[in-house]
Amino acid sequence: MKGMTSRYLVCLGREIHLTEWAAPGLAPDAPVLVAWHGLARSGRDFDVLARQLCDRWRVICPDTVGRGLSQWAEDPAAEYHLGAYVALAESLLDQLGLTQCDWLGTSMGGAIGLLGAATRLQGRIRRLVLNDIGPEIEAAAVARIRTYAGAPPAFATVTELEAYFREIYASFGVLTDAQWRQLTETSLRRLPDGRVTPHYDPRIVQQFERATDDYLLWDAWDRLRLPVLCLRGADSSLLSATTAEAMRTRGPLAELITVPGCGHAPALNTAEQIGWVERFLSASEIGLLGGVQR
């Protein structure tokens, strides 16, 4: 693929996989965008967006520990929670030599960016794009995620796994047949018996059992001093309209865009959605962005 490189780094004792996107001829000092995926997903979710943006940005898409091609945790209680993920991100940025970057995070990836920008990564994250995530999430949505993510099914064929992904991720919005197939092929692993299953450690859901307040981040939100864009799926079950409105009127005064035809979370695979991200990251008057709603 244009400008994509697969890399591995050891962060906090774990081998972490990332894809790095940079079009041929991109200036060495081009701005950097870190794109971090959701709970049970991987950095390959950003292939379409990264391919479109890598002419202007160096786009870094990691797989969180326990997901994709990254190593699994030895101690889930210590390694599968937001604080540990922020420390992981800090190690990754250090090794890449990144003193400043923009951050785009879907769901869990956005929560990592939010908490990081208020704590260990304060001053290093220049702008923050939150894809259907905020400083508070709906309990019913968490219960649903625990149901499917904590006990991932296994199938005899890739075709069956794709049908499963089409069902549980229908809220991502409209994906082409080719995009569904790529999502499936970049999200599977084979079990010893030959069946295929989603490519993550099922123990990642222990986060919701041992760190029940992990996603209650209003204190961090109110400490943020950077431009924030929030994309909320119009039918989101995770980020309520009430929480999204509060994000627009307190803390960093986020710009809020409601994405039609999506729930949790927009796939960021259309020209319109990518255009919103690109416009926000390119804005020269960052002080004029806060509190805007569409």
Side-chain angles (χ1 to χ4, degrees), residues 41 44-45 155 157-166 169 175 177-189 196-199:
R41 303 298 309 140
R44 296 300 302 275
D45 282 359
F155 301 92
T157 67
V158 174
T159 301
E160 291 173 290
L161 179 60
E162 180 180 326
Y164 168 74
F165 282 144
R166 284 176 180 251
Y169 295 137
L175 280 73
D177 288 343
Q179 288 170 342
W180 279 118
R181 179 56 52 86
Q182 181 186 5
L183 181 150
T184 303
E185 292 178 344
T186 58
S187 304
L188 66 83
R189 63 186 175 93
V196 289
T197 193
H199 204 335

Side-chain angles (χ1 to χ4, degrees), residues 1 6-7 28 35 50 78 84 88 101 104 108 137 139 151 160 168 180 200 222 224 241-242 260 279:
M1 295 185 186
S6 178
R7 298 182 60 183
L88 189 80
C101 66
L104 185 159
M108 179 195 75
I137 59 179
E160 291 173 290
I168 66 166
W180 279 118
Y200 63 85
D222 289 333
L224 293 182
T242 299
R279 179 201 56 80

Side-chain angles (χ1 to χ4, degrees), residues 36-42 45-46 64 67 105-110 204:
W36 209 291
H37 63 82
L39 178 73
R41 303 298 309 140
S42 80
D45 282 359
F46 297 106
T64 312
R67 287 82 163 175
T106 292
S107 194
M108 179 195 75
I204 59 175

Side-chain angles (χ1 to χ4, degrees), residues 66-86:
R67 287 82 163 175
L69 298 179
S70 289
Q71 189 176 0
W72 288 14
E74 293 184 4
D75 184 353
E79 297 181 61
Y80 291 155
H81 61 86
L82 290 182
Y85 300 149
V86 170

Side-chain angles (χ1 to χ4, degrees), residues 128-130 221 224 226-230 247 252-255 280 289:
L128 179 63
V129 180
L130 301 177
W221 178 260
L224 293 182
L226 78 170
V228 179
L229 169 65
C230 176
M247 294 166 66
L253 307 179
E255 177 180 359
F280 175 77
L289 291 169

